[in-house]
Amino acid sequence: SPAQPLCGFSNAVVQILRLHGVEDYRAHDVLQDPDLRQGIKNYSNWPTIPQVYLNGEFVGGCDILLQMHQNGDLVEELKKLGIRSALLDKEKDQEKK
């Protein structure tokens, strides 16, 4: 769960989303359901968890989300969904100082 991620990769995804101010998302504990854990891997054809979907579209795992965060693509993808990244506001605040 986002309140207590059980692995470092899940924690990294939660932290990235928090940095951008994304709070409205769903998470599922795949450790409690082996069928769900394998099923999501089969569905996405992606071998690792966590898996990130934006508006129902598979984006990738922790490594992809981290890369998108670092290169600015995540800000743009969030914008397409009507979500303004909180990092944009932080940048404006720093420019004023």
Side-chain angles (χ1 to χ4, degrees):
S1 78
Q4 292 184 325
L6 296 177
C7 82
F9 297 115
S10 294
N11 186 50
V13 167
V14 168
Q15 295 305 317
I16 291 168
L17 293 175
R18 282 185 185 152
L19 280 171
H20 287 271
V22 177
E23 296 176 7
D24 186 20
Y25 61 92
R26 292 187 307 176
H28 301 279
D29 183 356
V30 297
L31 295 176
Q32 299 299 318
D33 187 342
D35 291 335
L36 177 61
R37 183 171 56 243
Q38 188 56 48
I40 196 71
K41 291 177 183 181
N42 295 343
Y43 177 79
S44 65
N45 197 30
W46 192 262
T48 61
I49 294 173
Q51 295 186 5
V52 178
Y53 292 77
L54 296 177
N55 204 29
E57 184 177 329
F58 178 64
V59 174
C62 175
D63 54 341
I64 301 299
L65 196 69
L66 179 58
Q67 182 180 46
M68 291 175 70
H69 166 68
Q70 290 172 335
N71 68 20
D73 288 347
L74 186 54
V75 169
E76 294 304 314
E77 289 302 314
L78 293 173
K79 183 188 270 186
K80 291 177 188 176
L81 299 173
I83 300 170
R84 179 176 170 81
S85 171
L87 290 181
L88 295 174
D89 296 331
K90 289 179 183 176
E91 288 175 5
K92 280 185 180 180
D93 288 344
Q94 288 186 357
E95 287 174 6
K96 290 178 183 178
K97 292 180 180 179

